[in-house]
Amino acid sequence: MESDHGDVPSAHDRSDDAVARACLTAVASAGDPVMGALLDEHGAAAVWEALASGRPPSAPPGIRPAAYAQRAARWVERAARVDPDSLLTESADLGCRLLVPGDPGWPTQLDDLRLHRPYALWVRGAHDLRHACLRSVAVVGARSATPYGRHVAADLAWGLAQRSWTVVSGGAYGIDSAAHRGGLAAGAPSVAVLACGLDLAYPRGNENLFADIAARGALVSEHPRGAVPSRHGFLIRNRIIAALTPGAVVVEAGLRSGALNTARHAHELNRTVMAVPGPVTSALSAGCHRLIRDFGATCVTGADDVVEQVGRIGTDLAPGPGSALDPDTLDPESRRVLAEVPQRGGTGTAAVAAACELGLDSALSRLGLLAAAGFIERGPSGWRARSARLTPQPTAAR
Amino acid sequence: MESDHGDVPSAHDRSDDAVARACLTAVASAGDPVMGALLDEHGAAAVWEALASGRPPSAPPGIRPAAYAQRAARWVERAARVDPDSLLTESADLGCRLLVPGDPGWPTQLDDLRLHRPYALWVRGAHDLRHACLRSVAVVGARSATPYGRHVAADLAWGLAQRSWTVVSGGAYGIDSAAHRGGLAAGAPSVAVLACGLDLAYPRGNENLFADIAARGALVSEHPRGAVPSRHGFLIRNRIIAALTPGAVVVEAGLRSGALNTARHAHELNRTVMAVPGPVTSALSAGCHRLIRDFGATCVTGADDVVEQVGRIGTDLAPGPGSALDPDTLDPESRRVLAEVPQRGGTGTAAVAAACELGLDSALSRLGLLAAAGFIERGPSGWRARSARLTPQPTAAR
C-alpha cells in the first residue's frame, strides 16, 4: 500500500482494497450503512468484484430482501459504468489523492461513524489531512449569514489559527467561507469538506477560495470527480465535518439551518457542541440559542472559549502538557525538520524545506505532525519550538 | 394592626412592632444580619426601645463583642435623632405607606432572605405589592445599555405584561427604565425597588417614570424618606429584587455589572436565573454570556421563554391550571369585583370601581388579586374572566 502523500497514477499502484473503495464512491450513495455492513462483512475488494461482475453479495443481516435487491441492482448498474483505471488516473490528473481506511494518513476519528464511515476520501491539497485535523474545530453556520456572523466566524477562525487549531467546514458562502478565510488569513491550513466531486467548484463564486484551501490546507470529498451536489449529499457530508473534529461551533443558524444537522452529528458522535450567541432579534441566531437552551450546547464567545472546550479532547489526541516529548521517538526525517525549528523567533516552511532538502509539501506535512504532537507551534514569526515542553522546568514538575 | 392599604397618619395608629421597624429603617444599615438576628431574638419593639433608651441589647450569639459595640453605638446615636411620629407622618404625607412582616400585604417571599430580610418596606403606589409580585419577573441589566439591550428589555417586559406578568426592577437608566416602560406601555403595573428614600428621585431624569410607576404600580424602598443612595445601598437593594420574584432575567450586563449581583442573589435564593444573549462583539452582553456558560443561567430570547421558566414556579404561588378556582372562597368585595369582569371582551379598572362603588386603588388591588389567583386576566380590551378555568372542559380533565 502506497503512502497517501504521493499521487495515484493508476489502479495498479494501489491495493485491491483501495481501488475497490475508490470505485465504490462512484457506485453507492455516500454513507449508506448497508454498504458499510457489506464492507465490514466481506471487505471492499470482494464487494467491488461481486458488483462489477453483476453478482451482488447477499443482503447483510437485518436488511429486508426487497429493499436490498433494489439497492443491489442500482449498484450493479452503476458499477458497470465505472472504469477503475480512468477513475484513478483522471482523479490524479486533477491533483486528487485517494485516502482509504488503513492508510497512514487516514483520519481514524472517522471510524467513529461505524457503518456510516466514508468508503474512501478524495483529497486535494498541500496539507496532510490527518495531522491538520488532530487540533481542529468544525466552524459551521448559515449560508445566508449576516455581517455579524461572518465577522464572528472569521475572527473565531483567526483566533483558533493563532492557537494552532485548524478550521474544518463546508464550502458554502456565509459562515463556512468566512471561517476558512479567517484561518487562512492567519497563515493556518484550512479543511473544506465538499458535497461534490473535487473537480467541481460549488458554489462557483468560491473557486478562488477553494484554490487557496487546496494550496494551504485540504479539500476533501467522499464523492468521485464529476459528482454533482445534492441536498442529501450536503446533509450526509455534515457527518464527516463532525467526525473529523473533536468539537463543532455553530456561529449562526436559523431554526432550520443545515448547521444544526452538523451539530446533531457532533452530539451523536460525543463531540463537543458549541454555539455562538447573537442578537435575539436575529432569526439567524435563533438556531444557536436553541442549541444552547434546549440541547446543552456550550455558549462560546471567542477562540479562548472554544479551545477551553476542545482542548480537553485535543490533549487526548496530542500529548498533554505533562507528557514527556521525546524527539528520539520521531522518524529520522521528522527529527531533521525539528532540528531546523528555532527555540526563539521563528522560521518559515520554505526555509525548513530548503534546509532539510525536502519538498514544500513534505516539509509542511512534517511540521504539521510536529505541531500536532506538541513539539513546535506557530508563533508570530513562523514555526518555533515549544521550549517549555522540551525543557521541563523544575517548578512545572509537580 | 392596620391594613397596609391605607395611609399611616401617625405612630399611634400602628402596632409597636410596625413603628419600631419603621424607625429601624432609619437606624441600622439595610439588610444588616446582626440587626436581623436581634429582631429574631427580641422582636422589633424591644430592640427599638432598647436603642432609643441608649441601652442596646446584648450581642447576638456568634458576633464579636468589639465589632458589635461599634455597631450598637452607631445605632444608639442614630436612634436618638429619630422621631417616630414625624417619620411616619412625613412619610404618609409623601404618599408612602409602611409594610412590615405580618401585614396582609407583606410579600412573604422576602422571608427567604432570613437574617437579611428588610426590617420594613416603604411603598408608594396604587398597586398592592404582594399581589403584583405573585406573577412577577425581575428584569435587570446595565445602566449604560445599548439600543439593542433597551429594545430587548422593553419588548420582553411588554410581552410579559401581555401574559399578565409584572416587571420588578431597579430605577436606573438603561435596562431598568426600558423594562418598566415596556410593561407600563402594555398597561401592566410595574414595581421599582429603589436604593434611596422614596421622596428622592434618583436618577433625576427618571422622575416622570417614577411618577408613572407610582400611579400604576409600586415604588418600593427599605430606606426611610431622605436616605440618599450609596454603592452599598444599590448592591444590598438587589437582594430585594431577587427575592420578590420567582426568577430574574439579565438583559445586558458587562462583566462587572451590578446586574450580575442580582443574578447571584437570585441563584442563592433558588430563583430561576435567566440571561438574554447578544452579540459576542458587545462588551455589554459578556456578563450575560458568562452567566449562561459558567453559572447555568438559562438562555432566554423572549417572553415565552421566560414564562416557560418562571411559570413552573409561578404556579406554585398562584393556583395551577388544574386547580379548582372556587369564587365562594373569595371575600364578598372580591366576589363583587369578579362579578363585574366580563367573560368576553374586557372592562377597565375605572368601570369596575364605579360599578362596585370602590376607590380606584381598592378596585385595582382586588383585580390584581383576582388575576394573581387565576380568576381573571388582562386581555387586549381590559380585564376579562379566564373562562377556560372557571368552566372546566371535559377534555381538560385528564
Side-chain angles (χ1 to χ4, degrees):
Chain A
M1 195 182 298
E2 197 190 84
S3 152
D4 61 290
H5 299 308
D7 286 349
V8 183
S10 89
H12 305 294
D13 297 321
R14 295 297 300 253
S15 69
D16 289 349
D17 177 81
V19 173
R21 285 179 171 275
C23 295
L24 289 172
T25 66
V27 162
S29 294
D32 183 343
V34 179
M35 176 56 78
L38 287 179
L39 292 176
D40 270 8
E41 196 179 341
H42 306 289
V47 171
W48 166 246
E49 201 181 297
L51 294 175
S53 63
R55 293 183 306 275
S58 53
I63 307 296
R64 280 196 306 121
Y68 179 72
Q70 247 182 1
R71 250 192 185 88
R74 202 162 54 233
W75 291 341
V76 166
E77 188 193 335
R78 288 189 192 148
R81 293 200 298 263
V82 172
D83 171 17
D85 251 338
S86 66
L87 175 61
L88 288 166
T89 318
E90 285 169 28
S91 299
D93 288 348
L94 292 164
C96 297
R97 57 185 189 272
L98 179 73
L99 267 185
V100 298
D103 280 348
W106 177 257
T108 49
Q109 59 269 39
L110 290 179
D111 301 348
D112 293 348
L113 291 167
R114 305 164 69 100
L115 293 182
H116 299 270
R117 185 176 71 172
Y119 318 131
L121 289 179
W122 300 95
V123 181
R124 185 152 71 89
H127 217 81
D128 182 277
L129 179 63
R130 191 168 72 88
H131 297 155
C133 292
L134 279 180
R135 282 167 68 93
S136 70
V137 179
V139 179
V140 297
R143 200 181 349 254
S144 56
T146 67
Y148 165 72
R150 291 196 300 270
H151 167 79
V152 171
D155 196 57
L156 181 63
W158 193 87
L160 289 170
Q162 293 295 108
R163 292 159 183 78
S164 303
W165 285 79
T166 304
V167 164
V168 177
S169 190
Y173 293 138
I175 299 300
D176 291 11
S177 299
H180 289 304
R181 287 203 175 91
L184 291 169
S190 213
V191 174
V193 185
L194 304 185
C196 58
L198 295 183
D199 54 328
L200 300 178
Y202 182 88
R204 281 304 292 263
N206 271 349
E207 199 162 5
N208 288 339
L209 176 63
F210 294 157
D212 282 354
I213 294 173
R216 310 247 299 279
L219 288 174
V220 182
S221 176
E222 60 184 318
H223 302 280
R225 51 121 181 73
V228 294
S230 68
R231 170 140 181 89
H232 171 259
F234 283 115
L235 290 174
I236 203 83
R237 179 274 315 264
N238 292 339
R239 82 196 191 289
I240 301 182
I241 295 175
L244 279 175
T245 54
V249 185
V250 181
V251 176
E252 263 194 336
L255 290 174
R256 298 166 151 275
S257 169
L260 300 185
N261 171 262
T262 309
R264 190 174 58 76
H265 282 301
H267 177 73
E268 285 171 1
L269 291 162
N270 288 319
R271 268 52 170 174
T272 303
V273 181
M274 296 158 278
V276 176
V280 298
T281 46
S282 165
L284 278 165
S285 286
C288 294
H289 298 148
R290 179 175 285 181
L291 280 176
I292 293 169
R293 198 190 55 205
D294 297 336
F295 299 98
T298 303
C299 172
V300 291
T301 59
D304 277 334
D305 286 0
V306 172
V307 168
E308 192 189 315
Q309 293 298 314
V310 290
R312 292 179 221 151
I313 296 160
T315 52
D316 292 343
L317 298 171
S323 73
L325 289 173
D326 186 357
D328 293 342
T329 61
L330 294 171
D331 63 283
E333 198 171 87
S334 296
R335 272 211 298 276
R336 275 197 293 141
V337 169
L338 179 57
E340 293 302 322
V341 178
Q343 298 273 338
R344 287 162 202 278
T347 185
T349 305
V352 172
C356 298
E357 296 180 345
L358 286 172
L360 207 60
D361 279 17
S362 298
L364 195 55
S365 166
R366 293 290 156 190
L367 288 164
L369 166 65
L370 290 168
F375 286 98
I376 65 173
E377 64 189 352
R378 215 179 269 274
S381 329
W383 299 104
R384 67 181 175 202
R386 300 186 74 163
S387 51
R389 289 186 171 191
L390 290 171
T391 319
Q393 303 294 314
T395 52
R398 57 140 296 161
Chain B
M1 195 182 298
E2 197 188 84
S3 151
D4 61 291
H5 299 308
D7 286 347
V8 183
S10 90
H12 304 294
D13 297 321
R14 294 297 301 253
S15 70
D16 289 348
D17 178 80
V19 174
R21 286 180 171 275
C23 296
L24 289 172
T25 67
V27 162
S29 294
D32 183 343
V34 178
M35 176 56 78
L38 287 180
L39 293 176
D40 271 7
E41 197 180 339
H42 306 289
V47 171
W48 165 245
E49 199 181 298
L51 295 175
S53 63
R55 293 183 306 274
S58 53
I63 307 297
R64 279 196 307 120
Y68 179 72
Q70 246 181 2
R71 252 192 184 87
R74 204 162 52 233
W75 292 341
V76 166
E77 188 193 336
R78 289 189 191 147
R81 293 200 297 263
V82 173
D83 171 19
D85 251 337
S86 66
L87 175 61
L88 289 166
T89 318
E90 285 169 28
S91 299
D93 288 348
L94 292 164
C96 298
R97 58 186 188 270
L98 179 72
L99 266 185
V100 298
D103 280 349
W106 178 258
T108 49
Q109 59 269 40
L110 290 179
D111 301 348
D112 293 348
L113 291 168
R114 305 162 69 99
L115 294 182
H116 299 270
R117 185 175 71 172
Y119 319 130
L121 289 180
W122 300 96
V123 180
R124 186 152 71 89
H127 217 81
D128 182 277
L129 180 63
R130 193 170 70 90
H131 298 155
C133 292
L134 280 180
R135 282 167 68 93
S136 69
V137 179
V139 179
V140 297
R143 201 184 343 257
S144 55
T146 66
Y148 165 73
R150 290 196 300 270
H151 168 80
V152 170
D155 196 57
L156 181 63
W158 193 86
L160 289 169
Q162 293 295 110
R163 291 160 182 79
S164 302
W165 285 79
T166 304
V167 164
V168 177
S169 190
Y173 294 138
I175 299 301
D176 291 10
S177 299
H180 288 304
R181 288 202 175 91
L184 291 170
S190 213
V191 174
V193 185
L194 304 185
C196 57
L198 295 183
D199 53 329
L200 300 178
Y202 182 88
R204 282 304 292 264
N206 271 349
E207 200 161 4
N208 288 340
L209 176 64
F210 294 158
D212 282 354
I213 294 173
R216 310 246 301 278
L219 289 174
V220 182
S221 176
E222 61 185 318
H223 302 279
R225 52 118 181 74
V228 294
S230 68
R231 170 142 180 87
H232 172 258
F234 283 116
L235 291 175
I236 204 83
R237 179 273 317 265
N238 292 340
R239 83 194 190 292
I240 301 181
I241 295 176
L244 279 175
T245 54
V249 186
V250 181
V251 176
E252 262 194 336
L255 290 173
R256 296 166 152 276
S257 169
L260 301 185
N261 172 262
T262 309
R264 190 174 59 75
H265 282 301
H267 176 74
E268 285 170 0
L269 291 162
N270 288 319
R271 268 54 171 174
T272 304
V273 181
M274 296 158 277
V276 176
V280 298
T281 46
S282 165
L284 278 165
S285 285
C288 295
H289 297 148
R290 178 174 286 181
L291 280 177
I292 293 168
R293 197 191 57 204
D294 297 336
F295 299 99
T298 303
C299 173
V300 292
T301 59
D304 278 332
D305 285 1
V306 172
V307 169
E308 191 189 316
Q309 292 297 316
V310 290
R312 292 179 220 152
I313 296 161
T315 52
D316 291 342
L317 298 171
S323 72
L325 289 172
D326 185 357
D328 292 343
T329 61
L330 294 171
D331 62 284
E333 197 170 88
S334 296
R335 271 211 299 278
R336 274 197 293 141
V337 169
L338 180 58
E340 293 302 323
V341 178
Q343 297 275 336
R344 286 162 204 276
T347 185
T349 305
V352 172
C356 299
E357 296 180 344
L358 285 172
L360 208 60
D361 279 18
S362 298
L364 195 55
S365 166
R366 293 290 157 191
L367 288 164
L369 166 66
L370 291 168
F375 287 99
I376 64 172
E377 64 189 351
R378 213 178 270 275
S381 328
W383 298 104
R384 68 181 174 203
R386 300 186 74 163
S387 51
R389 289 187 170 191
L390 290 171
T391 319
Q393 304 295 314
T395 51
R398 56 140 295 162

